Amino acid sequence: MLQHFTYKPMFEGGRLPGWTFSFHYKNKRYGGDYRQDGSIVWSGETPPDEDQVKKMIHELMTFHVYE
């Protein structure tokens, strides 16, 4: 489970091309960019179980941004 998930637009005004995000997973902090096409670019280490983590991020972004 992702904990302390936060996101913000890359640019003021909330306009695309995407959002930056961060969260804690398995007691470690991760972050990256969520692009408008749904791709994720990690800003540091890639979390273990990357595919599962990406699914969780997509669900959270769909709920919070695209609702």
Side-chain angles (χ1 to χ4, degrees), residues 29-56:
R29 186 179 183 280
Y30 298 95
D33 295 333
Y34 187 89
R35 303 282 171 88
Q36 63 185 353
D37 64 358
S39 63
I40 294 173
V41 178
W42 301 105
S43 60
E45 284 187 53
T46 302
D49 311 322
E50 180 182 12
D51 290 335
Q52 184 174 350
V53 170
K54 282 184 175 182
K55 287 179 187 177
M56 290 187 272

Side-chain angles (χ1 to χ4, degrees), residues 3-47:
Q3 297 178 346
H4 306 288
F5 183 82
T6 60
Y7 68 96
K8 65 180 182 177
M10 287 182 175
F11 300 99
E12 283 195 37
R15 293 250 154 55
L16 295 175
W19 300 264
T20 59
F21 64 86
S22 65
F23 60 90
H24 285 82
Y25 181 66
K26 295 187 176 181
N27 297 320
K28 197 165 188 180
R29 186 179 183 280
Y30 298 95
D33 295 333
Y34 187 89
R35 303 282 171 88
Q36 63 185 353
D37 64 358
S39 63
I40 294 173
V41 178
W42 301 105
S43 60
E45 284 187 53
T46 302

